[in-house]
Amino acid sequence: GAVVSQHPSRVICKSGTSVKIECRSLDFQATTMFWYRQFPKQSLMLMATSNEGSKATYEQGVEKDKFLINHASLTLSTLTVTSAHPEDSSFYICSARDRRGDYNEQFFGPGTRLTVL
Amino acid sequence: GENVEQHPSTLSVQEGDSAVIKCTYSDSASNYFPWYKQELGKRPQLIIDIRSNVGEKKDQRIAVTLNKTAKHFSLHITETQPEDSAVYFCAAREQAGTALIFGKGTTLSVSS
């Protein structure tokens, strides 16, 4: 199956700093990538849909100025958490669809554990 | 938008028993329904999926059924094993190109 990577896998930062998380499709091109956030013992909550070459679409309640998404190429989307605060501590997971083949399946990255002190 | 409800939130069974997890969805336009297994700290792993033009699908010990009229779908695991213990999520998608919307998850515990 298609492979999606995320970097970093873990990050600890101080309150007020910004953190960038990368999501890469390694062996396929992804026109669309999705960003989810998962708090402990909760479900995956969709934050935004990232489309290559255009602005991301954010879900209701997600601050677009705080969670900056850039999808500059068909294999890379980045999520920047700006001015992070402890309540932003969470597991961030991206997913991507392969342009070829079964258009239904989404391939998930391994996730990034963000801890804001 | 789509809303997915999942029950139960926790499920404990004895090894060898069957486990059933049920989900309902709100958007009648949804046409793709995958099930994921997630172990602690790891990414969700697709275990089975079903499309709206199919009523049932089976893969060894795992099966999924879909009732479009009632807008619900279920995951059935037979002959459960301790390694089946994990959190299971159902999801639904309205159309290709849109994101999956997840249920709240079911923590399955299989005791030997």
Side-chain angles (χ1 to χ4, degrees), chain A residues 30-33 50-55 70-76 99:
Chain A
T31 309
T32 305
M33 291 183 174
S50 169
N51 295 298
E52 186 266 336
S54 65
K55 291 183 179 180
N70 183 279
H71 193 157
S73 77
L74 287 171
T75 59
L76 174 64
R99 294 174 70 190

Coordinates of all heavy atoms in Angstrom, one line a residue, chain A residues 30-33 50-55 70-76 99:
Chain A
A30 N -0.3 13.0 -4.0 CA -1.6 13.3 -3.2 C -2.1 14.7 -3.5 O -1.5 15.7 -3.0 CB -1.3 13.1 -1.7
T31 N -3.1 14.7 -4.3 CA -3.8 16.0 -4.5 C -4.3 16.6 -3.3 O -4.3 17.8 -3.1 CB -4.9 15.9 -5.6 OG1 -4.4 15.2 -6.7 CG2 -5.4 17.2 -6.0
T32 N -4.9 15.7 -2.4 CA -5.5 16.2 -1.2 C -5.0 15.4 0.0 O -4.7 14.2 -0.1 CB -7.0 15.9 -1.3 OG1 -7.6 16.5 -2.5 CG2 -7.8 16.4 -0.1
M33 N -4.7 16.2 1.0 CA -4.3 15.6 2.3 C -5.2 16.2 3.4 O -5.8 17.3 3.2 CB -2.8 16.0 2.6 CG -1.8 15.3 1.7 SD -0.1 15.7 2.2 CE 0.8 14.6 1.1
S50 N -6.4 19.8 3.0 CA -5.3 20.5 2.3 C -5.3 20.1 0.8 O -5.1 19.0 0.5 CB -4.0 20.1 3.0 OG -2.9 20.6 2.3
N51 N -5.4 21.1 0.0 CA -5.4 20.8 -1.5 C -4.2 21.4 -2.1 O -3.9 22.6 -1.8 CB -6.7 21.4 -2.1 CG -7.9 20.7 -1.7 OD1 -8.1 19.5 -1.9 ND2 -8.8 21.5 -1.1
E52 N -3.5 20.7 -2.9 CA -2.3 21.1 -3.5 C -2.5 22.4 -4.3 O -3.4 22.4 -5.2 CB -1.7 20.0 -4.4 CG -0.3 20.3 -5.0 CD -0.4 20.9 -6.4 OE1 -1.4 20.6 -7.0 OE2 0.5 21.6 -6.8
G53 N -1.7 23.4 -4.1 CA -1.8 24.6 -4.9 C -2.9 25.6 -4.5 O -3.1 26.6 -5.2
S54 N -3.7 25.3 -3.5 CA -4.8 26.2 -3.1 C -4.9 26.3 -1.6 O -4.2 25.5 -0.9 CB -6.1 25.7 -3.7 OG -6.5 24.5 -3.2
K55 N -5.7 27.1 -1.1 CA -5.9 27.3 0.3 C -6.6 26.1 0.9 O -7.5 25.5 0.3 CB -6.7 28.6 0.6 CG -6.0 29.9 0.3 CD -6.8 31.1 0.6 CE -6.1 32.4 0.3 NZ -6.8 33.6 0.7
N70 N 0.0 24.4 4.6 CA 0.6 24.7 3.3 C 0.7 23.4 2.5 O 1.3 22.4 3.1 CB 1.9 25.4 3.4 CG 2.5 25.8 2.0 OD1 3.1 24.9 1.4 ND2 2.3 27.0 1.7
H71 N 0.3 23.3 1.3 CA 0.4 22.1 0.5 C 1.0 22.5 -0.9 O 0.3 22.6 -1.9 CB -1.0 21.6 0.3 CG -1.1 20.2 -0.2 ND1 -2.2 19.3 -0.1 CD2 -0.2 19.4 -1.0 CE1 -2.0 18.2 -0.6 NE2 -0.8 18.2 -1.2
A72 N 2.3 22.7 -0.8 CA 3.0 23.3 -1.9 C 3.3 22.3 -3.0 O 3.6 22.7 -4.2 CB 4.3 24.0 -1.4
S73 N 3.3 21.0 -2.7 CA 3.6 20.1 -3.8 C 2.7 18.9 -3.7 O 1.9 18.8 -2.7 CB 5.1 19.6 -3.7 OG 5.2 18.7 -2.7
L74 N 2.7 18.0 -4.6 CA 1.8 16.8 -4.6 C 2.3 15.8 -3.6 O 1.6 14.7 -3.4 CB 1.7 16.2 -6.0 CG 0.9 17.0 -7.0 CD1 1.1 16.4 -8.4 CD2 -0.6 17.0 -6.6
T75 N 3.4 16.0 -2.9 CA 3.9 15.0 -2.0 C 4.1 15.6 -0.6 O 4.5 14.9 0.3 CB 5.2 14.3 -2.4 OG1 6.2 15.4 -2.6 CG2 5.0 13.6 -3.8
L76 N 3.8 16.8 -0.4 CA 4.1 17.5 0.9 C 3.1 18.4 1.4 O 2.7 19.3 0.6 CB 5.5 18.2 0.9 CG 5.9 19.0 2.1 CD1 6.1 18.1 3.3 CD2 7.1 19.8 1.8
R99 N -3.9 9.5 -6.0 CA -4.6 10.0 -7.2 C -5.0 8.8 -8.1 O -5.9 8.9 -8.9 CB -3.8 10.9 -8.0 CG -3.5 12.2 -7.3 CD -2.6 13.1 -8.1 NE -3.2 13.6 -9.3 CZ -2.5 14.2 -10.3 NH1 -1.2 14.3 -10.2 NH2 -3.2 14.7 -11.3

